[in-house]
């Protein structure tokens, strides 16, 4: 006995149903980008860090750097120095960084939503989101102040998701 359901997922012929892997990818994107969006909005509402808080963070970072120097872990020292400068630059451009971040995340969420609906344009928006997620720091921070591991990690993660989404291009219209 077949029941009637208004959901487009159940009324489509079997070959037109959304692939399970695409569902999983979209849900992962919705959760990840959604949490990033909430975080960005709360950060925006909270405003930039005060000079006092920035100074406290700098003192703590200097302590960690001194400890790493004593352990002769120079690559970590360099990375922490970059992180400190990057944090200062991001805080100096706080509102612009926050708004760009919200716009980039919105693009990713909308792209995933369009793929969820079966639209190929969503994949192209997701590629734009992936690229801007990686390069948006360069708009506000000197390239010398961005740790390589941050860029490499973001590139790997973006590439994996784009490749996984691309496997469903035949289903997208």
């Amino acid at each position: 006995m077949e029941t009637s359901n208004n959901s487009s997922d159940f009324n489509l012929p079997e070959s037109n149903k959304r692939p399970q892997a695409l569902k999983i990818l979209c849900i992962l994107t919705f959760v990840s980008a959604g949490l990033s969006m909430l975080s960005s909005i709360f950060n925006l509402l909270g405003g930039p860090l005060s000079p006092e808080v920035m100074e406290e963070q700098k003192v703590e970072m200097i302590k960690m750097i001194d400890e790493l120097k004593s352990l002769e872990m120079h690559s970590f020292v360099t990375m922490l120095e970059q992180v400190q400068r990057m944090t200062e630059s991001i805080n100096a451009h706080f509102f612009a960084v926050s708004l760009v971040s919200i716009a980039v995340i919105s693009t990713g969420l909308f792209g995933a939503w369009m793929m969820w609906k079966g639209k190929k344009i969503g994949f192209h928006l997701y590629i734009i989101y992936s690229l801007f997620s990686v390069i948006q720091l360069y708009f506000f921070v000197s390239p010398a102040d961005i740790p390589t591991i941050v860029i490499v990690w973001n590139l790997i993660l973006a590439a994996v998701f784009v490749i996984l989404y691309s496997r469903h291009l035949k289903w997208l219209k």
Side-chain angles (χ1 to χ4, degrees):
M1 182 172 176
E2 187 174 308
T3 59
S4 172
N5 192 331
N6 290 337
S7 173
S8 63
D9 285 349
F10 297 109
N11 292 333
L12 292 175
E14 188 65 35
S15 63
N16 288 337
K17 282 191 174 184
R18 182 180 303 111
Q20 188 69 23
L22 180 61
K23 286 181 187 179
I24 293 169
L25 287 170
C26 287
I27 290 170
L28 286 173
T29 299
F30 294 147
V31 170
S32 174
L35 290 173
S36 294
M37 179 67 82
L38 287 175
S39 176
S40 293
I41 290 170
F42 285 127
N43 285 340
L44 183 63
L45 295 175
L49 298 176
S50 68
E52 295 81 22
V53 172
M54 287 297 293
E55 190 61 33
E56 288 174 20
Q57 283 187 354
K58 191 172 188 176
V59 168
E60 289 301 315
M61 189 69 78
I62 289 171
K63 287 179 186 176
M64 283 194 295
I65 288 171
D66 288 342
E67 197 172 312
L68 289 171
K69 282 181 181 176
S70 70
L71 296 171
E72 296 185 15
M73 300 179 80
H74 300 292
S75 60
F76 288 111
V77 169
T78 302
M79 185 179 72
L80 286 180
E81 290 170 342
Q82 288 175 310
V83 167
Q84 179 60 39
R85 291 189 305 269
M86 183 175 75
T87 302
E88 291 170 0
S89 184
I90 288 172
N91 199 57
H93 301 97
F94 178 80
F95 291 105
V97 169
S98 296
L99 293 174
V100 167
S101 180
I102 288 171
V104 169
I105 295 166
S106 296
T107 303
L109 282 170
F110 187 66
W113 176 251
M114 294 302 289
M115 285 188 282
W116 181 267
K117 297 299 241 176
K119 307 290 184 193
K120 194 175 282 194
I121 187 72
F123 177 71
H124 301 293
L125 289 171
Y126 191 84
I127 290 173
I128 292 168
Y129 157 73
S130 297
L131 291 173
F132 275 97
S133 291
V134 173
I135 65 169
Q136 71 182 352
L137 276 177
Y138 289 106
F139 297 146
F140 308 103
V141 179
S142 168
D145 294 339
I146 302 173
T148 304
I149 189 68
V150 170
I151 300 304
V152 169
W153 176 252
N154 286 339
L155 279 171
I156 290 170
L157 196 59
V160 166
F161 268 80
V162 167
I163 290 167
L164 290 173
Y165 273 123
S166 73
R167 297 179 53 97
H168 302 287
L169 283 171
K170 289 179 184 175
W171 184 80
L172 300 172
K173 301 209 180 320

